[in-house]
Amino acid sequence: MQISREQMLRAYRQMVTIREFEERIHVDIQRGGIAGFTHLYAGQEAVAVGVCEHLTDTDTIISTHRGHGHCIAKGCDVIGMMKEIYGRQDGLCKGKGGSMHIADLDRGMLGANGIVGGGPPIAVGAAISAKVLKTGGVAVSFSGDGASNQGTVFEAMNMAVVLKVPKIFVFENNGYSEHTGFSYAVGSKDIVRRTEGFGMPVFKADGYDFFSVYEAMRQATELSRQGGGPCAIYAECTRFFGHFEGDPQLYRAKDEVARLRAENDSLKIFRQRVTEANLLPGGDLDQVEGEVRDLIDRAVREAVAAPAPTAADVLTDVYISY
Ligand SMILES: Cc1ncc(C[n+]2csc(CCOP(=O)(O)OP(=O)(O)O)c2C)c(N)n1
Ligand SMILES: [Mg+2]
């Protein structure tokens, strides 16, 4: 696998940024300053970063209700995101989107999306646009195991194959659709074969291992950028927090999260791999962690101090005139 020292350090920084961002929100949300539903992505970092490290601003992604990690991995400004989650006037979407609707078109981040299964059809549109305009870009959708059952996702997969567009479907199986287990809700219990049934190749990855996802995405982008049409990535992973903040998680075994944090933490796995192979010294990783913690502290400080939107702001950005 070809990956430079700089790329590895950047990937680690992105994964740590997602983790620290989410851990901080998990604590700070108790203070009551954040409105609306918040779904945290901690635990799934290797997927977002392994995928997005292959993308540029020309490529587009569309996320889910659990979108913070995808936004950070795609290069959205972390301070602007924090302000958005706090509903501030100078948040990334002027405080009007909040946690579930962060978008940044300049970064090719077409939006988080509260409609489960709503993303893939939009990303097929972006892929058609990339093909027609010959941008060389690919369009990526992230979907959970629950979303993989939605009719919208089936239609999107079929259309992407028929139109042979540069579209990559990323399926993140974190074991639960809200509170419903994967093995109950996915009829065939096999998202890979079901996806292949639509006529596209699926690259399987270990969702806890950045390098595994990175390699799967390398193959996926190579295929789709060269005109090979759509493909998919399938990764099993886990979320460290509840479905939403406040979820008592009664459907999980008492020690499940503690065990996953001990054995399946993508940050620890990354550190172990690069230090044991002498690819990066542990001190460099420590330095990244310190810098990220400072950044998150600053993001929260600025978000808390930032002005809220005014009543007049309700009337702007409602309609776009073309
Ligand atoms: C169309 C639609 N149906 C139901 C919901 C309620 N809902 C929100 S998240 C969710 C589960 C999604 O599970 P999954 O796709 O596995 O994503 P995860 O939460 O695990 O990241 C459901 C059913 C919704 N937001 N949209
Ligand atoms: Mg899920």
Side-chain angles (χ1 to χ4, degrees):
M1 183 191 309
Q2 291 286 315
I3 178 159
S4 70
R5 199 175 168 280
E6 287 65 37
Q7 281 175 302
M8 281 189 288
L9 266 179
R10 192 182 57 204
Y12 189 66
R13 182 180 298 276
Q14 294 288 65
M15 294 207 306
V16 175
T17 305
I18 297 170
R19 175 69 55 84
E20 290 291 325
F21 193 91
E22 301 294 62
E23 296 276 3
R24 186 64 186 261
I25 288 178
H26 177 69
V27 172
D28 286 3
I29 205 165
Q30 319 283 344
R31 289 202 309 243
I34 298 171
F37 263 98
T38 308
H39 308 78
L40 300 181
Y41 188 77
Q44 303 185 203
E45 295 87 352
V47 184
V49 177
V51 165
C52 290
E53 278 299 299
H54 286 280
L55 305 178
T56 70
D57 290 349
T58 309
D59 302 310
T60 50
I61 69 164
I62 188 126
S63 175
T64 68
H65 53 286
R66 197 176 302 290
H68 306 165
H70 305 134
C71 292
I72 292 172
K74 192 65 171 66
C76 293
D77 176 53
V78 168
I79 296 176
M81 281 179 62
M82 194 64 89
K83 287 180 176 172
E84 185 58 36
I85 290 167
Y86 272 80
R88 300 307 197 223
Q89 204 175 39
D90 54 350
L92 216 46
C93 302
K94 302 185 189 172
K96 297 179 181 184
S99 166
M100 264 195 285
H101 302 98
I102 298 178
D104 185 352
L105 301 189
D106 293 339
R107 299 275 82 79
M109 170 47 190
L110 303 186
N113 197 321
I115 308 297
V116 171
I122 299 171
V124 170
I128 294 171
S129 158
K131 182 172 177 175
V132 170
L133 299 176
K134 297 186 171 52
T135 65
V138 295
V140 177
S141 59
F142 290 91
S143 309
D145 44 298
S148 81
N149 297 328
Q150 295 292 89
T152 47
V153 180
F154 295 172
E155 291 179 39
M157 289 197 283
N158 185 61
M159 193 175 214
V161 170
V162 169
L163 299 179
K164 214 175 178 202
V165 288
K167 165 79 186 72
I168 300 171
F169 296 83
V170 178
F171 290 109
E172 294 182 81
N173 180 359
N174 64 5
Y176 299 101
S177 169
E178 260 185 18
H179 317 132
T180 308
F182 158 81
S183 55
Y184 173 82
V186 176
S188 67
K189 305 190 189 347
D190 192 337
I191 293 173
V192 172
R193 279 185 53 215
R194 192 166 66 184
T195 303
E196 285 169 345
F198 281 91
M200 71 179 90
V202 182
F203 301 99
K204 284 201 260 181
D206 174 350
Y208 301 104
D209 179 2
F210 162 79
F211 294 99
S212 171
V213 180
Y214 186 82
E215 174 56 19
M217 186 63 176
R218 187 191 64 70
Q219 295 178 53
T221 44
E222 195 173 283
L223 184 141
S224 286
R225 284 196 206 285
Q226 287 172 359
C231 59
I233 288 188
Y234 173 78
E236 291 179 8
C237 48
T238 197
R239 54 172 160 75
F240 285 166
F241 293 112
H243 172 65
F244 59 93
E245 280 307 272
D247 173 6
Q249 301 191 71
L250 299 176
Y251 51 92
R252 288 182 114 168
K254 280 205 166 39
D255 63 341
E256 184 179 317
V257 174
R259 185 177 46 77
L260 289 164
R261 278 191 183 261
E263 295 170 9
N264 291 75
D265 181 332
S266 57
L267 268 59
K268 287 184 192 158
I269 291 169
F270 184 101
R271 178 182 277 271
Q272 195 176 356
R273 284 199 58 179
V274 299
T275 52
E276 280 179 7
N278 282 326
L279 297 172
L280 288 173
D284 286 12
L285 304 179
D286 296 340
Q287 188 181 335
V288 166
E289 289 172 12
E291 288 168 4
V292 168
R293 273 195 284 273
D294 290 346
L295 172 67
I296 302 299
D297 275 347
R298 190 180 141 208
V300 173
R301 257 196 330 274
E302 291 192 20
V304 169
T310 65
D313 290 328
V314 171
L315 302 175
T316 60
D317 305 315
V318 180
Y319 297 108
I320 295 177
S321 40
Y322 291 98

